[in-house]
Amino acid sequence: MKIRTLLAILSFTLFVSCSKDKEILNSLNDYNISMESKGYHFGDPLNLPKEVVENAESITISFGDKETNSLTVDPNFFTLGDNAVTFVIKKKGGEILNQDATINVFAKNPEAKLSYEIVKEYPHDPNNFVQGFELEGNTIYESDGQTGESRIIKYTLGSTTPLAETLQAGDIFSEGCTIIGDKIYQLTWQNKKGFIYNKSDLSLITEFVYPNVIGEGWGLTNDQKNLILSDGTKNIYFLDINNPSKIVRYISVAGNTEAYDQLNELEYHKGFIYANVWQKPIIVKINPANGEVVGKFDFAEIAKKHTTGNDDVLNGIAFKGENMLITGKNWPTIYEVMIK
């Protein structure tokens, strides 16, 4: 009889404990889900439910190879955009509970709606699948993609006839490009390497490999100190110009209410990074210090003239003085717009 009573007590205790664990995890899950769309800003507290706090001896948040016991959204731990984390709750009885969650961090200030006016149009070869787009003087330098058709070319703005071109090997899908001094740097999509050319005749000088953390090459620009690379995620990487295989730092990009990933063609102009967003008719203006989107152009009215499928989308940013040049993949036109 005593054994049966003891077993009943143990079973009841285990049931109560499991029920309490379930209550803790459910309350934490409900809280995290409610905060995903709302998001946080840097400096905000994580106001976890009392069911969690009152039963915890300690709460740790792990993110990649980092851990923190602070329940504040710290920029030294979190990045802008989505952060896939794990809450590790040590109960007062010593048991450990784990729960995965997404913590979205947004910029504090709303991005400005940037307006423009079309001031001029130039011809563009509609066969060109634009991946990288640069202007220097009156010369366009363009990296065109598609496997088996990739190349780097240059031509005079207003013409579509190449002044020089270098074709890629059949397994290469070219991506973004940028000019530094007398050289042009060009990315590849999935080949994990880039090329460096002479600007004058587009002859190949050498190659470089990407750091392992960079999965793919998408957009490329520079600030005269670093190569600035996007890889199709929310991250933008700053690479050492003298050693492009070395990451100097990176930023993650978000606006006031949403994170931006699939960042594509890039352009650096007067202290800001401008980025196309793949499959969207927008260009975002990014603070390179922290990744905050400070402004956004809506080019839907232009893009709808040329976008007929999944690929012929807005992609191409350059600056002509204070005006911006934009184009797209397989578009027949380059637009010069005055920023208002």
PDB file of all heavy atoms in Angstrom, residues 96-118:
ATOM      1  N   ILE A  96      16.314  22.338 -17.045  1.00  0.00           N
ATOM      2  CA  ILE A  96      16.613  23.241 -18.158  1.00  0.00           C
ATOM      3  C   ILE A  96      15.519  23.131 -19.208  1.00  0.00           C
ATOM      4  O   ILE A  96      15.175  22.024 -19.652  1.00  0.00           O
ATOM      5  CB  ILE A  96      17.976  22.917 -18.807  1.00  0.00           C
ATOM      6  CG1 ILE A  96      19.098  22.978 -17.767  1.00  0.00           C
ATOM      7  CG2 ILE A  96      18.259  23.879 -19.968  1.00  0.00           C
ATOM      8  CD1 ILE A  96      19.349  24.351 -17.178  1.00  0.00           C
ATOM      9  N   LEU A  97      14.972  24.267 -19.605  1.00  0.00           N
ATOM     10  CA  LEU A  97      13.985  24.337 -20.679  1.00  0.00           C
ATOM     11  C   LEU A  97      14.562  25.155 -21.827  1.00  0.00           C
ATOM     12  O   LEU A  97      15.193  26.195 -21.589  1.00  0.00           O
ATOM     13  CB  LEU A  97      12.680  24.982 -20.194  1.00  0.00           C
ATOM     14  CG  LEU A  97      11.970  24.326 -19.007  1.00  0.00           C
ATOM     15  CD1 LEU A  97      10.726  25.135 -18.635  1.00  0.00           C
ATOM     16  CD2 LEU A  97      11.604  22.887 -19.316  1.00  0.00           C
ATOM     17  N   ASN A  98      14.347  24.701 -23.055  1.00  0.00           N
ATOM     18  CA  ASN A  98      14.830  25.411 -24.242  1.00  0.00           C
ATOM     19  C   ASN A  98      13.667  25.754 -25.163  1.00  0.00           C
ATOM     20  O   ASN A  98      12.735  24.949 -25.302  1.00  0.00           O
ATOM     21  CB  ASN A  98      15.827  24.553 -25.023  1.00  0.00           C
ATOM     22  CG  ASN A  98      17.095  24.286 -24.242  1.00  0.00           C
ATOM     23  OD1 ASN A  98      17.762  25.201 -23.795  1.00  0.00           O
ATOM     24  ND2 ASN A  98      17.429  23.021 -24.071  1.00  0.00           N
ATOM     25  N   GLN A  99      13.744  26.926 -25.775  1.00  0.00           N
ATOM     26  CA  GLN A  99      12.750  27.273 -26.786  1.00  0.00           C
ATOM     27  C   GLN A  99      13.369  28.186 -27.842  1.00  0.00           C
ATOM     28  O   GLN A  99      14.001  29.189 -27.515  1.00  0.00           O
ATOM     29  CB  GLN A  99      11.546  27.977 -26.169  1.00  0.00           C
ATOM     30  CG  GLN A  99      10.415  28.172 -27.175  1.00  0.00           C
ATOM     31  CD  GLN A  99       9.168  28.731 -26.518  1.00  0.00           C
ATOM     32  OE1 GLN A  99       8.966  29.928 -26.522  1.00  0.00           O
ATOM     33  NE2 GLN A  99       8.340  27.859 -25.953  1.00  0.00           N
ATOM     34  N   ASP A 100      13.182  27.808 -29.112  1.00  0.00           N
ATOM     35  CA  ASP A 100      13.655  28.630 -30.227  1.00  0.00           C
ATOM     36  C   ASP A 100      12.660  29.753 -30.498  1.00  0.00           C
ATOM     37  O   ASP A 100      11.447  29.608 -30.285  1.00  0.00           O
ATOM     38  CB  ASP A 100      13.818  27.790 -31.485  1.00  0.00           C
ATOM     39  CG  ASP A 100      14.899  26.728 -31.346  1.00  0.00           C
ATOM     40  OD1 ASP A 100      15.823  26.935 -30.543  1.00  0.00           O
ATOM     41  OD2 ASP A 100      14.801  25.692 -32.028  1.00  0.00           O
ATOM     42  N   ALA A 101      13.176  30.870 -30.987  1.00  0.00           N
ATOM     43  CA  ALA A 101      12.314  32.022 -31.283  1.00  0.00           C
ATOM     44  C   ALA A 101      13.001  32.919 -32.298  1.00  0.00           C
ATOM     45  O   ALA A 101      14.211  32.800 -32.550  1.00  0.00           O
ATOM     46  CB  ALA A 101      12.002  32.806 -30.020  1.00  0.00           C
ATOM     47  N   THR A 102      12.235  33.810 -32.897  1.00  0.00           N
ATOM     48  CA  THR A 102      12.765  34.837 -33.793  1.00  0.00           C
ATOM     49  C   THR A 102      12.526  36.202 -33.162  1.00  0.00           C
ATOM     50  O   THR A 102      11.392  36.542 -32.822  1.00  0.00           O
ATOM     51  CB  THR A 102      12.092  34.781 -35.172  1.00  0.00           C
ATOM     52  OG1 THR A 102      12.352  33.510 -35.767  1.00  0.00           O
ATOM     53  CG2 THR A 102      12.626  35.883 -36.078  1.00  0.00           C
ATOM     54  N   ILE A 103      13.592  36.955 -33.011  1.00  0.00           N
ATOM     55  CA  ILE A 103      13.498  38.316 -32.494  1.00  0.00           C
ATOM     56  C   ILE A 103      13.803  39.276 -33.629  1.00  0.00           C
ATOM     57  O   ILE A 103      14.921  39.307 -34.149  1.00  0.00           O
ATOM     58  CB  ILE A 103      14.458  38.535 -31.311  1.00  0.00           C
ATOM     59  CG1 ILE A 103      14.013  37.682 -30.113  1.00  0.00           C
ATOM     60  CG2 ILE A 103      14.546  40.005 -30.933  1.00  0.00           C
ATOM     61  CD1 ILE A 103      14.915  37.792 -28.908  1.00  0.00           C
ATOM     62  N   ASN A 104      12.802  40.026 -34.050  1.00  0.00           N
ATOM     63  CA  ASN A 104      12.973  41.002 -35.124  1.00  0.00           C
ATOM     64  C   ASN A 104      13.333  42.360 -34.531  1.00  0.00           C
ATOM     65  O   ASN A 104      12.658  42.849 -33.613  1.00  0.00           O
ATOM     66  CB  ASN A 104      11.680  41.132 -35.939  1.00  0.00           C
ATOM     67  CG  ASN A 104      11.437  39.926 -36.822  1.00  0.00           C
ATOM     68  OD1 ASN A 104      12.367  39.398 -37.412  1.00  0.00           O
ATOM     69  ND2 ASN A 104      10.195  39.481 -36.922  1.00  0.00           N
ATOM     70  N   VAL A 105      14.388  42.960 -35.080  1.00  0.00           N
ATOM     71  CA  VAL A 105      14.839  44.274 -34.625  1.00  0.00           C
ATOM     72  C   VAL A 105      14.735  45.248 -35.792  1.00  0.00           C
ATOM     73  O   VAL A 105      15.278  44.993 -36.871  1.00  0.00           O
ATOM     74  CB  VAL A 105      16.287  44.229 -34.101  1.00  0.00           C
ATOM     75  CG1 VAL A 105      16.689  45.594 -33.556  1.00  0.00           C
ATOM     76  CG2 VAL A 105      16.443  43.157 -33.026  1.00  0.00           C
ATOM     77  N   PHE A 106      14.036  46.352 -35.581  1.00  0.00           N
ATOM     78  CA  PHE A 106      13.806  47.341 -36.628  1.00  0.00           C
ATOM     79  C   PHE A 106      14.485  48.666 -36.281  1.00  0.00           C
ATOM     80  O   PHE A 106      14.811  48.932 -35.121  1.00  0.00           O
ATOM     81  CB  PHE A 106      12.304  47.571 -36.833  1.00  0.00           C
ATOM     82  CG  PHE A 106      11.550  46.336 -37.241  1.00  0.00           C
ATOM     83  CD1 PHE A 106      10.360  45.984 -36.615  1.00  0.00           C
ATOM     84  CD2 PHE A 106      12.023  45.507 -38.244  1.00  0.00           C
ATOM     85  CE1 PHE A 106       9.668  44.847 -36.976  1.00  0.00           C
ATOM     86  CE2 PHE A 106      11.341  44.364 -38.623  1.00  0.00           C
ATOM     87  CZ  PHE A 106      10.155  44.033 -37.989  1.00  0.00           C
ATOM     88  N   ALA A 107      14.696  49.485 -37.309  1.00  0.00           N
ATOM     89  CA  ALA A 107      15.261  50.822 -37.107  1.00  0.00           C
ATOM     90  C   ALA A 107      14.264  51.694 -36.354  1.00  0.00           C
ATOM     91  O   ALA A 107      13.052  51.557 -36.511  1.00  0.00           O
ATOM     92  CB  ALA A 107      15.602  51.457 -38.452  1.00  0.00           C
ATOM     93  N   LYS A 108      14.768  52.598 -35.533  1.00  0.00           N
ATOM     94  CA  LYS A 108      13.882  53.429 -34.716  1.00  0.00           C
ATOM     95  C   LYS A 108      13.137  54.458 -35.546  1.00  0.00           C
ATOM     96  O   LYS A 108      11.985  54.788 -35.260  1.00  0.00           O
ATOM     97  CB  LYS A 108      14.688  54.130 -33.625  1.00  0.00           C
ATOM     98  CG  LYS A 108      15.089  53.231 -32.475  1.00  0.00           C
ATOM     99  CD  LYS A 108      15.684  54.018 -31.323  1.00  0.00           C
ATOM    100  CE  LYS A 108      15.950  53.094 -30.127  1.00  0.00           C
ATOM    101  NZ  LYS A 108      16.507  53.837 -28.977  1.00  0.00           N
ATOM    102  N   ASN A 109      13.779  54.982 -36.573  1.00  0.00           N
ATOM    103  CA  ASN A 109      13.179  56.075 -37.333  1.00  0.00           C
ATOM    104  C   ASN A 109      12.567  55.571 -38.636  1.00  0.00           C
ATOM    105  O   ASN A 109      13.176  54.765 -39.339  1.00  0.00           O
ATOM    106  CB  ASN A 109      14.235  57.143 -37.647  1.00  0.00           C
ATOM    107  CG  ASN A 109      14.835  57.737 -36.394  1.00  0.00           C
ATOM    108  OD1 ASN A 109      14.126  58.104 -35.462  1.00  0.00           O
ATOM    109  ND2 ASN A 109      16.163  57.827 -36.355  1.00  0.00           N
ATOM    110  N   PRO A 110      11.368  56.045 -38.988  1.00  0.00           N
ATOM    111  CA  PRO A 110      10.760  55.662 -40.273  1.00  0.00           C
ATOM    112  C   PRO A 110      11.627  56.124 -41.439  1.00  0.00           C
ATOM    113  O   PRO A 110      12.214  57.211 -41.404  1.00  0.00           O
ATOM    114  CB  PRO A 110       9.415  56.390 -40.262  1.00  0.00           C
ATOM    115  CG  PRO A 110       9.143  56.710 -38.827  1.00  0.00           C
ATOM    116  CD  PRO A 110      10.485  56.921 -38.194  1.00  0.00           C
ATOM    117  N   GLU A 111      11.717  55.312 -42.498  1.00  0.00           N
ATOM    118  CA  GLU A 111      12.481  55.706 -43.676  1.00  0.00           C
ATOM    119  C   GLU A 111      11.716  56.768 -44.469  1.00  0.00           C
ATOM    120  O   GLU A 111      10.492  56.726 -44.545  1.00  0.00           O
ATOM    121  CB  GLU A 111      12.811  54.505 -44.563  1.00  0.00           C
ATOM    122  CG  GLU A 111      11.659  53.641 -44.950  1.00  0.00           C
ATOM    123  CD  GLU A 111      11.506  52.432 -44.057  1.00  0.00           C
ATOM    124  OE1 GLU A 111      11.607  52.586 -42.819  1.00  0.00           O
ATOM    125  OE2 GLU A 111      11.254  51.334 -44.573  1.00  0.00           O
ATOM    126  N   ALA A 112      12.460  57.714 -45.031  1.00  0.00           N
ATOM    127  CA  ALA A 112      11.835  58.773 -45.833  1.00  0.00           C
ATOM    128  C   ALA A 112      11.369  58.209 -47.171  1.00  0.00           C
ATOM    129  O   ALA A 112      12.019  57.340 -47.746  1.00  0.00           O
ATOM    130  CB  ALA A 112      12.837  59.905 -46.064  1.00  0.00           C
ATOM    131  N   LYS A 113      10.252  58.690 -47.662  1.00  0.00           N
ATOM    132  CA  LYS A 113       9.780  58.342 -48.997  1.00  0.00           C
ATOM    133  C   LYS A 113      10.427  59.303 -49.978  1.00  0.00           C
ATOM    134  O   LYS A 113      10.115  60.492 -49.996  1.00  0.00           O
ATOM    135  CB  LYS A 113       8.258  58.426 -49.068  1.00  0.00           C
ATOM    136  CG  LYS A 113       7.555  57.386 -48.216  1.00  0.00           C
ATOM    137  CD  LYS A 113       6.033  57.485 -48.363  1.00  0.00           C
ATOM    138  CE  LYS A 113       5.338  56.424 -47.522  1.00  0.00           C
ATOM    139  NZ  LYS A 113       3.859  56.510 -47.624  1.00  0.00           N
ATOM    140  N   LEU A 114      11.351  58.782 -50.782  1.00  0.00           N
ATOM    141  CA  LEU A 114      12.135  59.611 -51.689  1.00  0.00           C
ATOM    142  C   LEU A 114      11.431  59.695 -53.044  1.00  0.00           C
ATOM    143  O   LEU A 114      11.009  58.685 -53.594  1.00  0.00           O
ATOM    144  CB  LEU A 114      13.540  59.038 -51.851  1.00  0.00           C
ATOM    145  CG  LEU A 114      14.329  58.856 -50.540  1.00  0.00           C
ATOM    146  CD1 LEU A 114      15.652  58.158 -50.790  1.00  0.00           C
ATOM    147  CD2 LEU A 114      14.556  60.205 -49.859  1.00  0.00           C
ATOM    148  N   SER A 115      11.325  60.904 -53.571  1.00  0.00           N
ATOM    149  CA  SER A 115      10.647  61.102 -54.852  1.00  0.00           C
ATOM    150  C   SER A 115      11.658  61.470 -55.934  1.00  0.00           C
ATOM    151  O   SER A 115      12.804  61.837 -55.650  1.00  0.00           O
ATOM    152  CB  SER A 115       9.579  62.187 -54.727  1.00  0.00           C
ATOM    153  OG  SER A 115      10.154  63.413 -54.308  1.00  0.00           O
ATOM    154  N   TYR A 116      11.215  61.383 -57.184  1.00  0.00           N
ATOM    155  CA  TYR A 116      12.110  61.600 -58.312  1.00  0.00           C
ATOM    156  C   TYR A 116      11.319  62.097 -59.506  1.00  0.00           C
ATOM    157  O   TYR A 116      10.083  62.043 -59.545  1.00  0.00           O
ATOM    158  CB  TYR A 116      12.814  60.285 -58.678  1.00  0.00           C
ATOM    159  CG  TYR A 116      11.851  59.224 -59.173  1.00  0.00           C
ATOM    160  CD1 TYR A 116      11.546  59.105 -60.538  1.00  0.00           C
ATOM    161  CD2 TYR A 116      11.203  58.367 -58.291  1.00  0.00           C
ATOM    162  CE1 TYR A 116      10.639  58.158 -61.000  1.00  0.00           C
ATOM    163  CE2 TYR A 116      10.297  57.412 -58.739  1.00  0.00           C
ATOM    164  CZ  TYR A 116      10.023  57.320 -60.084  1.00  0.00           C
ATOM    165  OH  TYR A 116       9.119  56.388 -60.534  1.00  0.00           O
ATOM    166  N   GLU A 117      12.076  62.568 -60.515  1.00  0.00           N
ATOM    167  CA  GLU A 117      11.483  62.979 -61.793  1.00  0.00           C
ATOM    168  C   GLU A 117      12.381  62.495 -62.917  1.00  0.00           C
ATOM    169  O   GLU A 117      13.608  62.669 -62.863  1.00  0.00           O
ATOM    170  CB  GLU A 117      11.358  64.514 -61.842  1.00  0.00           C
ATOM    171  CG  GLU A 117      10.854  65.058 -63.157  1.00  0.00           C
ATOM    172  CD  GLU A 117      10.857  66.575 -63.200  1.00  0.00           C
ATOM    173  OE1 GLU A 117      10.973  67.212 -62.130  1.00  0.00           O
ATOM    174  OE2 GLU A 117      10.779  67.130 -64.310  1.00  0.00           O
ATOM    175  N   ILE A 118      11.810  61.838 -63.906  1.00  0.00           N
ATOM    176  CA  ILE A 118      12.598  61.386 -65.062  1.00  0.00           C
ATOM    177  C   ILE A 118      13.018  62.603 -65.883  1.00  0.00           C
ATOM    178  O   ILE A 118      12.186  63.409 -66.284  1.00  0.00           O
ATOM    179  CB  ILE A 118      11.787  60.423 -65.945  1.00  0.00           C
ATOM    180  CG1 ILE A 118      11.401  59.171 -65.165  1.00  0.00           C
ATOM    181  CG2 ILE A 118      12.589  60.025 -67.190  1.00  0.00           C
ATOM    182  CD1 ILE A 118      10.463  58.247 -65.919  1.00  0.00           C
TER     183      ILE A 118
END
